[in-house]
Amino acid sequence: MRLTLLSFLAALVLAAPLHAQNDEQDWCRVAIMADSSGDPATAVEAYSHCLETPGLEDEYRGMFLHQRGLAYEALGEPENAVEDFTQALPLVLEPEKTFSARGLARAQMGQFDKAIYDFTQAINVNPHEPGNWHMRGILNIEVGHFDEALDDYDMAVSLAPDNVMLLAGRAELKARMGDSGGAIDDYGLLIKMEPRFAPAYNGRAWHRYLAGVDYAEALQDIEIGIALEPENTDFVDTQAHLLSALGRRDEALDAFLEAAELGGADRIIWYQEELAAKGYLDGEPNGELDTATREAFEACVEVDCRLLDGAVPPEAAQ
């Protein structure tokens, strides 16, 4: 969206005669050139001078305010960006883009409810843009409105059914909502769409494991995933859980130990915490794959203790 608007502005400004008098700089032209060359600091300064141009028409003022807001965003100044977008909204001819830009800036500031409002306004202006539905879905997840988020993802996917990342996001949301069956279906669609998208194989394998269905097929999935990303800790962990569920204890133990080594101290600590919670390990987690931890893994695998079933990843708990 930004490049299209920049191109339009550049065509208008560069084709027009200079506004400046007495050989002063044409700040509008400088702003567009700085913006298009990726120099937001110069763009902000030049847009500020440009906006002081006598007789500047409202349409152009709105577009220049919008562009300065984007430059402020690029500089990490979302508060200034929001102020510019707010001033631009009554003036621009395409408010959808300005609403969505303000929504992104407000999201950066942690103002999720206000950002949701902005993306709702953008959707009202143009309900056919999947990106706005997607962003509102992400924001609804941030505030815990999972049902609304799923509705947004459904609409985004219906508008862009070939978008891998939209489908992946919906699959992850369904998984988070405990809908393993729905997640499995979406991961299956992803695999058909993009056969080399390794996370889809892991996602379908893990949720088949959680649902207690199709373990053999799930193992085939994760073997493909590991072939695509052989050092992915999560993939090897999924393989370990499935091997344990299938009663292949020695292979499961080897896979758990491999996942622990791949993940390093942080993964080992997580394993140790879960092993301790299930009664297989005494003492404080130390991040070392010591004898006690190895023996705890053996005992866990022996009875298929489903080590990480229901466990919250450390990064998600923060």
Side-chain angles (χ1 to χ4, degrees), residues 193-212:
M193 189 184 304
E194 186 54 66
R196 295 191 63 79
F197 186 59
Y201 291 99
N202 181 61
R204 187 166 71 174
W206 180 248
H207 287 284
R208 280 174 161 168
Y209 169 77
L210 292 179

Side-chain angles (χ1 to χ4, degrees), residues 5 38 58 75 78 104 109 115 119 124 134 149 161 167 198 210-211 223 228 234 247 306 308 311:
L5 182 55
D58 283 351
L75 290 171
L104 286 172
M109 297 164 64
F119 279 103
N124 289 340
H134 182 207
L167 199 54
L210 292 179
E223 286 172 350
L228 292 169
D234 290 332
R306 300 181 70 87
L308 297 187

Side-chain angles (χ1 to χ4, degrees), residues 31 51 80 83 98 101 116-117 122 147 152 178 211 231-232 244 248 265 279:
L51 287 163
N80 289 329
E83 183 176 344
T98 306
I116 288 171
Y117 168 84
D147 289 334
D152 287 339
E231 295 189 357
N232 188 304
S244 179
R248 294 163 61 173

Side-chain angles (χ1 to χ4, degrees), residues 222 226 230 232-241 255-256 258-259 262:
I222 199 56
I226 290 172
N232 188 304
T233 304
D234 290 332
F235 293 10
V236 177
D237 173 84
T238 297
Q239 183 187 46
H241 281 80
F256 272 123
E258 181 183 354
L262 285 171

Side-chain angles (χ1 to χ4, degrees), residues 152-184:
D152 287 339
Y153 267 99
D154 285 342
M155 183 59 73
V157 169
S158 73
L159 292 169
D162 296 329
N163 188 306
V164 170
M165 298 316 297
L166 286 179
L167 199 54
R170 188 175 72 175
E172 291 169 7
L173 175 57
K174 287 179 178 180
R176 186 170 180 177
M177 295 173 70
D179 180 11
S180 287
I184 289 167

Side-chain angles (χ1 to χ4, degrees), residues 27-174:
W27 288 108
C28 297
R29 181 175 296 184
V30 172
I32 291 297
M33 298 303 292
D35 210 349
S36 60
S37 65
D39 183 356
T42 299
V44 164
E45 180 183 5
Y47 279 128
S48 298
H49 289 294
C50 168
L51 287 163
E52 296 173 355
T53 302
L56 187 64
E57 295 179 13
D58 283 351
E59 177 184 352
Y60 297 137
R61 181 174 300 279
M63 288 190 290
F64 289 135
L65 282 165
H66 176 101
Q67 291 303 122
R68 189 175 69 174
L70 293 175
Y72 273 129
E73 269 195 308
L75 290 171
E77 300 179 29
E79 296 89 347
N80 289 329
V82 167
E83 183 176 344
D84 274 358
F85 295 139
T86 300
Q87 291 183 48
L89 274 168
L91 307 175
V92 294
L93 296 179
E94 298 182 12
E96 173 216 342
K97 297 174 182 178
T98 306
F99 274 123
S100 62
R102 189 173 70 175
L104 286 172
R106 283 174 160 171
Q108 291 174 22
M109 297 164 64
Q111 297 177 353
F112 299 125
D113 288 330
K114 290 183 177 181
I116 288 171
Y117 168 84
D118 280 340
F119 279 103
T120 299
Q121 298 309 306
I123 288 167
N124 289 340
V125 175
N126 180 11
H128 305 295
E129 170 52 54
N132 292 329
W133 293 97
H134 182 207
M135 280 306 307
R136 193 174 72 172
I138 291 172
L139 291 164
N140 271 317
I141 292 172
E142 286 289 340
V143 297
H145 297 163
F146 298 121
D147 289 334
E148 291 87 342
L150 184 57
D151 289 341
D152 287 339
Y153 267 99
D154 285 342
M155 183 59 73
V157 169
S158 73
L159 292 169
D162 296 329
N163 188 306
V164 170
M165 298 316 297
L166 286 179
L167 199 54
R170 188 175 72 175
E172 291 169 7
L173 175 57
K174 287 179 178 180

